[in-house]
Amino acid sequence: MAELTKNKSKKRWNFKELLKVPEFITFMGFLVLCLAMILFTDRFLSSTNLINVARQISINAIIAVGMTFVILTSGIDLSVGAVMAFSGTVMAAAMANWGWNPFFAVLIGLALGMLIGLVNGSLVSFAKMPPIIVTLAMMEIPRGLALLYTGGYPLSGLPASFSFLGRGYLFNVIPIPVVVMLIVYIIAYILLNHLPLGRYIYAIGGNEEAVRLSGIKVKKYKIIAYVVSGFTAAISSIILTSRLMSGQPNAGVGFELDAIAAVVLGGTDIAGGRGSIIGTLIGALIMGVLNNGLNLIGVSPYVQRVFKGLIIIVAIYFSSKKKNS
Amino acid sequence: MEKILEIKNITKRFPGVLALNDVSFDIHRGEVHILIGENGAGKSTLMKILSGVYQPDEGKIILNSEAVSFKNPKEAQEAGVSIIHQEFSLIPYLNAVENIFLGREMKKKNGLLDKKKMKVKAQDLLDMLGVEINLERPVQRLSVAEQQFIEIAKAVAVNDRILILDEPTATLTKREVKILFQLIQNLKNKGVTMIYISHHLEEAFEIGDRLTCLRDGTWINTRPVKELTQDEIIRMMVGRSIDNIYPKRTTKLGDEELLQVRNLKQVDSDFKIDFSVKKGEVLGIAGLVGSGRTELVRALIGADQTDSKEIYISGEKVETKSPEQALKAGIGLIPENRKSQGLVLDMSVKNNISLASLSKVLNSFLFLDKLKEKNSVTRLIDDLNIKTPHMYQEVKNLSGGNQQKVVLAKWLRTDCKVLIFDEPTRGIDVGAKVEIYKLMNELVGSGLSIIMVSSELPEILGMSDRILVMHQGRIAAELMNCDQVTQEKIMFYATGGANNGRVN
Ligand SMILES: Nc1ncnc2c1ncn2[C@@H]1O[C@H](COP(=O)(O)OP(=O)(O)OP(=O)(O)O)[C@@H](O)[C@H]1O
Ligand SMILES: [Mg+2]
């Protein structure tokens, strides 16, 4: 948490205290992981590979931003993968079938992501339905619509200029998705740490009733969290659609799990109320490096899944241990 | 006198806090030992050490002439030490029987639960304690007092040697306290040793044999209660004497009605409630637990739904359909249960205090001005004398009384014209109580109005200009506070004494 880091800077740094900062443990884990990759593979450190990893990470990392918002309010958003499919196909259809300018296509993609977030958030806040059920249902509806429209086939024929977002580079080195990711993280950091919004989101996850009695519009802020989640999923969907240069109704399957994994790996409490956006970034980095490294070593994708599961269990073990101490 | 428990040179540190500093004293077999001290003095910490929740950094505990060290509450229980915590630990959805036998369920030979036997056993226990409780209901639907009794039953079901009660009467009404004391007497007659923490000093005289005082983590004195006076106890606690617990107000009441409540009808109620509060007035609301006081103030600020209500501030109609609208209209409620309604326990003292008033610390870009926030929080921590190593401490690490002060601080930062205090001094030490009363006086002096719901009649009588007594969801009496108004008179109306007694 931002508070924690600040509070630490007042005291002398001591290792035992540092161990209590969730981001620290995660960051150490990340360093160890990188070290292992450097030792076990010779290609990990090459600049092409690093750039590649960064680009691969960006999609999950961006989704994980919205997921962090939602989980902090003690909710969950399982619909992000479906949002990607839906936004992506509509965007692609807008450009390929309806002849829209890419700029407007991107806008409609973002708007649809936010709309689904709005629906999720409203059902959770006003209808008081459990987030896991609402967003489980919302995993189906947008994807179903996307499949319905496309008949299950990818939509291609997108204008060449659109490929810049997924395939382009800034100064010829930094992939555009990485730039977008950094911007999203900076904005999210400011939202969570320098605006009342962030304070309320943490507080709602900690004790919703106390926040409500404090005269704060709890419903509004919960809805905002889901809207942010839909928005970041849509941003990822733009990048993905642009990389593939097609709208894929099957895009994003299982992405919600990767995003949730990044969030909890980053030290955010799955029950809400505590965590940090920086932690989430580190969590996403770990997931990405792990994927990449295991690929480089030649571990089969099936084994990789087992690995991923184990890592998540270890992460949650540490975060729950910290809570009980 | 035989020593059952010896506390020897116990020291306990938390990051930035020396909670206990070389504390030593003895507990005698069969006595009721009163433990007192200001908020944050270390009482709960010491009891948690005795009951295995914490381990001491230094020092030892000698139980029946044998050095012991409990790694967890279970070990302590097995050795004969049980604790009833300041905060309850019952499972809300389970009934009394299930709670009493939680973790120690009785089984039949075939491995299934022996519900009949447990029920009989539970009934026996409660009979022994001399209380009557519905055994079928989930405990969340029982009164606070009944829950308390179940806690005690649960503790004595395990052992009957040493029982620690951490502020058991904080949430009880006078009548329930009487039953509790009877229960304590019964246990004492059975030879149970008890350690009893309370901020109600008069209770020490009623049930205590000896008394120990802690201040800032150090042991001050242990004396037989008979040799002490209330003033002496206060002096031990705060290091000075307090002449007047209820400070005098000098402000004169105006005529302007700041808040008017008309036709307030709660969802399950048959009555409409009307009342008003003058500018600069302290309106006390008395009544038994369950008489609808908390429900009334919650309905007033829109925390719960109502069938109808009209609220006027200075004669102007305002909407209070939600706490947020109420805050906008200038009405704030400081809720009775700090843990579940007042605080975000995982957040820092600073973030809790500024939660309801973040709009006041924004810079021109609508970002949080953290320096401004820190300054105002620091001022409040000083004003209310909140004991915390720094403002980034998580609220859950504060002592109970200091947590209560954090809730108060949060509301003091808002621009409310009417502040509703629901049990404002629950769990607060005498010194701090006086500070809070002074603060209330300052608030009404500056033109605010205060509604104070309280189960403590001395507090109601000491602080209110006017008193509403509630009985079964309606206002049974309205009394101008003067010498003729006594605790007995309030109790008379609170127990339904006069059916339509609007008296002035
Ligand atoms: N887990 C903890 N972590 C850090 N500090 C703690 C912790 N528990 C207690 N403290 C600190 O230790 C001191 C003693 O607290 P304790 O709860 O024992 O006080 P108390 O005498 O029971 O007060 P009250 O009357 O308000 O209940 C306080 O300053 C409190 O903030
Ligand atoms: Mg205490």
Side-chain angles (χ1 to χ4, degrees):
Chain A
M1 263 192 290
E3 292 311 332
L4 269 176
T5 29
K6 225 172 284 153
N7 138 19
K8 289 298 162 328
S9 67
K10 294 205 143 181
K11 302 185 210 153
R12 235 178 299 127
W13 288 85
N14 102 17
F15 192 70
K16 236 176 138 184
E17 285 290 302
L18 262 180
L19 274 180
K20 289 194 191 144
V21 183
E23 293 98 321
F24 178 75
I25 302 174
T26 330
F27 190 66
M28 283 298 151
F30 175 62
L31 289 186
V32 170
L33 188 66
C34 287
L35 209 70
M37 292 309 162
I38 293 169
L39 288 179
F40 289 122
T41 71
D42 37 5
R43 271 182 301 153
F44 180 73
L45 263 191
S46 73
S47 58
T48 31
N49 186 53
L50 285 182
I51 288 176
N52 211 358
V53 176
R55 188 166 44 207
Q56 282 167 2
I57 287 170
S58 59
I59 290 192
N60 181 34
I62 293 171
I63 304 173
V65 168
M67 192 66 79
T68 307
F69 276 66
V70 172
I71 290 182
L72 280 176
T73 67
S74 64
I76 192 122
D77 188 353
L78 300 178
S79 70
V80 288
V83 168
M84 291 183 71
F86 185 62
S87 286
T89 41
V90 174
M91 252 185 293
M95 287 181 278
N97 299 355
W98 315 330
W100 287 28
N101 173 317
F103 177 74
F104 292 110
V106 163
L107 284 189
I108 187 88
L110 293 174
L112 287 173
M114 291 165 75
L115 180 71
I116 295 174
L118 183 70
V119 173
N120 282 335
S122 306
L123 288 173
V124 168
S125 294
F126 290 109
K128 302 212 162 42
M129 291 165 66
I132 193 160
I133 302 300
V134 169
T135 58
L136 190 68
M138 219 36 99
M139 266 176 105
E140 294 301 310
I141 299 170
R143 187 176 302 281
L145 291 173
L147 286 165
L148 202 64
Y149 180 75
T150 58
Y153 297 104
L155 272 171
S156 49
L158 308 186
S161 62
F162 181 63
S163 72
F164 176 73
L165 289 171
R167 300 182 182 178
Y169 289 90
L170 183 69
F171 310 129
N172 285 326
V173 267
I174 313 172
I176 295 298
V178 175
V179 177
V180 174
M181 173 183 85
L182 291 176
I183 295 174
V184 170
Y185 270 86
I186 290 169
I187 295 175
Y189 181 85
I190 294 173
L191 289 180
L192 283 180
N193 294 292
H194 292 280
L195 288 188
L197 165 76
R199 200 64 75 71
Y200 296 149
I201 283 187
Y202 278 100
I204 288 170
N207 184 350
E208 192 174 322
E209 178 67 1
V211 180
R212 189 173 78 98
L213 288 177
S214 299
I216 290 152
K217 295 181 184 169
V218 169
K219 288 181 179 140
K220 171 175 144 188
Y221 291 100
K222 273 168 94 173
I223 291 175
I224 289 178
Y226 286 90
V227 170
V228 169
S229 182
F231 182 69
T232 54
I235 294 178
S236 279
S237 137
I238 297 168
I239 292 171
L240 188 69
T241 310
S242 162
R243 270 193 72 67
L244 303 171
M245 278 305 268
S246 63
Q248 306 264 3
N250 284 313
V253 173
F255 280 28
E256 58 282 343
L257 294 184
D258 281 2
I260 295 167
V263 174
V264 291
L265 268 177
T268 295
D269 188 339
I270 193 76
R274 25 169 86 224
S276 83
I277 196 70
I278 311 242
T280 298
L281 181 58
I282 303 172
L285 289 175
I286 292 182
M287 301 276 300
V289 169
L290 196 70
N291 258 333
N292 174 261
L294 293 177
N295 276 333
L296 290 182
I297 299 172
V299 177
S300 97
Y302 304 147
V303 177
Q304 290 190 25
R305 294 185 72 155
V306 176
F307 239 83
K308 221 185 324 186
L310 289 176
I311 294 265
I312 293 171
I313 290 177
V314 171
I316 297 198
Y317 172 76
F318 274 113
S319 82
S320 58
K321 212 173 155 179
K322 185 191 153 271
K323 212 169 150 193
N324 294 337
S325 67
Chain B
M1 262 293 170
E2 188 195 351
K3 294 170 187 169
I4 186 166
L5 187 71
E6 292 165 63
I7 295 154
K8 285 227 189 286
N9 311 95
I10 297 275
T11 295
K12 177 75 186 173
R13 294 183 195 87
F14 293 111
V17 187
L18 181 56
L20 293 169
N21 184 5
D22 196 19
V23 171
S24 307
F25 61 96
D26 305 325
I27 308 287
H28 294 169
R29 187 178 298 281
E31 73 172 340
V32 175
H33 195 109
I34 310 282
L35 186 58
I36 59 159
E38 289 176 287
N39 297 129
K43 304 180 295 293
S44 297
T45 305
L46 181 59
M47 293 306 112
K48 283 179 186 166
I49 288 176
L50 293 184
S51 57
V53 180
Y54 295 145
Q55 282 69 49
D57 294 331
E58 285 156 40
K60 55 186 170 187
I61 304 165
I62 296 171
L63 180 64
N64 294 318
S65 322
E66 230 177 274
V68 288
S69 86
F70 305 130
K71 286 187 203 65
N72 53 48
K74 197 157 185 209
E75 282 188 15
Q77 270 183 11
E78 278 158 8
V81 184
S82 308
I83 182 165
I84 291 156
H85 287 286
Q86 200 163 358
E87 328 292 340
F88 291 169
S89 52
L90 298 177
I91 313 283
Y93 309 112
L94 299 184
N95 67 27
V97 183
E98 289 159 340
N99 266 296
I100 290 175
F101 289 99
L102 191 70
R104 300 170 297 107
E105 285 80 2
M106 296 177 171
K107 298 197 182 104
K108 291 189 222 164
K109 279 206 192 80
N110 59 13
L112 297 178
L113 291 179
D114 193 343
K115 294 196 177 168
K116 231 186 237 152
K117 197 165 155 204
M118 287 195 279
K119 194 169 169 188
V120 171
K121 224 26 222 287
Q123 190 62 58
D124 285 352
L125 261 173
L126 294 171
D127 287 348
M128 189 269 288
L129 297 176
V131 290
E132 225 172 278
I133 284 173
N134 184 332
L135 292 180
E136 305 293 336
R137 268 197 202 162
V139 297
Q140 63 177 355
R141 289 182 36 221
L142 299 174
S143 76
V144 182
E146 288 170 323
Q147 295 187 24
Q148 177 89 272
F149 298 147
I150 295 172
E151 288 268 9
I152 295 174
K154 188 175 159 186
V156 286
V158 191
N159 86 89
D160 39 17
R161 287 211 271 174
I162 300 182
L163 182 61
I164 299 170
L165 299 135
D166 195 349
E167 297 196 35
T169 53
T171 50
L172 302 189
T173 56
K174 232 182 159 167
R175 183 181 272 200
E176 294 163 333
V177 170
K178 269 212 182 101
I179 305 176
L180 176 74
F181 284 177
Q182 188 55 52
L183 191 156
I184 288 177
Q185 195 60 49
N186 293 349
L187 287 174
K188 197 175 155 185
N189 295 342
K190 285 193 63 203
V192 181
T193 307
M194 278 167 279
I195 306 177
Y196 184 101
I197 300 181
S198 178
H199 288 295
H200 299 275
L201 304 182
E202 70 281 359
E203 294 176 2
F205 299 103
E206 234 172 293
I207 53 162
D209 297 310
R210 293 192 311 147
L211 174 146
T212 292
C213 177
L214 298 180
R215 194 195 310 154
D216 287 332
T218 53
W219 174 85
I220 300 293
N221 210 340
T222 300
R223 304 258 306 268
V225 172
K226 280 202 199 81
E227 297 173 5
L228 291 163
T229 64
Q230 183 144 338
D231 286 343
E232 278 174 301
I233 298 179
I234 292 177
R235 214 170 315 129
M236 276 203 275
M237 268 176 80
V238 295
R240 66 193 152 86
S241 40
I242 293 173
D243 320 322
N244 202 345
I245 295 190
Y246 304 105
K248 278 269 165 304
R249 260 200 301 281
T250 46
T251 40
K252 273 216 199 85
L253 270 187
D255 284 332
E256 189 198 337
E257 306 230 303
L258 186 56
L259 171 77
Q260 283 171 293
V261 179
R262 297 280 167 259
N263 295 323
L264 187 150
K265 184 172 170 305
Q266 282 155 270
V267 176
D268 289 325
S269 163
D270 304 326
F271 315 113
K272 289 192 172 165
I273 292 180
D274 295 85
F275 67 93
S276 58
V277 191
K278 290 206 175 86
K279 193 171 165 160
E281 185 179 39
V282 177
L283 175 72
I285 302 187
L288 302 179
V289 166
S291 61
R293 299 167 304 172
T294 296
E295 287 78 359
L296 172 63
V297 290
R298 280 179 63 91
L300 169 55
I301 64 147
D304 295 327
Q305 298 303 313
T306 43
D307 284 345
S308 69
K309 73 178 165 190
E310 292 151 41
I311 310 280
Y312 302 86
I313 292 273
S314 306
E316 252 174 73
K317 188 153 195 246
V318 291
E319 288 294 335
T320 60
K321 286 208 188 70
S322 64
E324 168 244 331
Q325 285 185 342
L327 177 65
K328 225 177 252 163
I331 311 171
L333 168 67
I334 301 162
E336 63 174 336
N337 186 331
R338 56 181 170 254
K339 289 225 159 161
S340 67
Q341 301 164 337
L343 294 168
V344 184
L345 290 171
D346 282 341
M347 275 196 344
S348 63
V349 171
K350 169 176 83 73
N351 288 4
N352 269 287
I353 291 182
S354 53
L355 189 62
S357 54
L358 283 179
S359 57
K360 285 191 178 175
V361 290
L362 300 184
N363 62 22
S364 40
F365 302 105
L366 297 180
F367 282 33
L368 293 172
D369 184 338
K370 301 220 169 160
L371 189 66
K372 206 160 152 192
E373 183 189 6
K374 262 185 234 170
N375 290 339
S376 67
V377 168
T378 309
R379 209 170 323 122
L380 274 163
I381 290 179
D382 288 346
D383 285 354
L384 294 181
N385 202 3
I386 299 174
K387 257 188 212 141
T388 173
H390 45 75
M391 68 174 93
Y392 306 107
Q393 179 78 317
E394 289 177 10
V395 168
K396 67 166 175 233
N397 290 335
L398 262 53
S399 78
N402 283 299
Q403 290 181 348
Q404 181 72 5
K405 293 187 195 172
V406 171
V407 187
L408 290 182
K410 171 168 77 179
W411 285 100
L412 293 181
R413 274 186 47 79
T414 60
D415 286 323
C416 285
K417 300 186 195 93
V418 180
L419 276 180
I420 307 169
F421 292 72
D422 196 353
E423 306 286 0
T425 60
R426 181 175 283 175
I428 285 196
D429 70 54
V430 203
K433 252 185 202 172
V434 179
E435 293 307 314
I436 286 173
Y437 297 144
K438 278 190 189 147
L439 199 95
M440 287 177 150
N441 285 351
E442 272 170 39
L443 290 173
V444 290
S446 67
L448 269 77
S449 301
I450 288 178
I451 300 175
M452 181 180 73
V453 174
S454 174
S455 300
E456 281 184 49
L457 294 181
E459 173 171 282
I460 289 272
L461 289 169
M463 289 302 295
S464 319
D465 295 300
R466 195 157 46 94
I467 301 164
L468 299 181
V469 187
M470 291 195 68
H471 174 65
Q472 294 186 345
R474 64 202 294 184
I475 295 174
E478 178 182 349
L479 310 163
M480 288 311 289
N481 196 2
C482 57
D483 294 341
Q484 280 88 344
V485 179
T486 57
Q487 297 198 18
E488 287 70 32
K489 196 159 179 182
I490 294 177
M491 283 315 285
F492 174 73
Y493 293 115
T495 50
N499 290 331
N500 51 1
R502 277 225 167 195
V503 196
N504 281 303

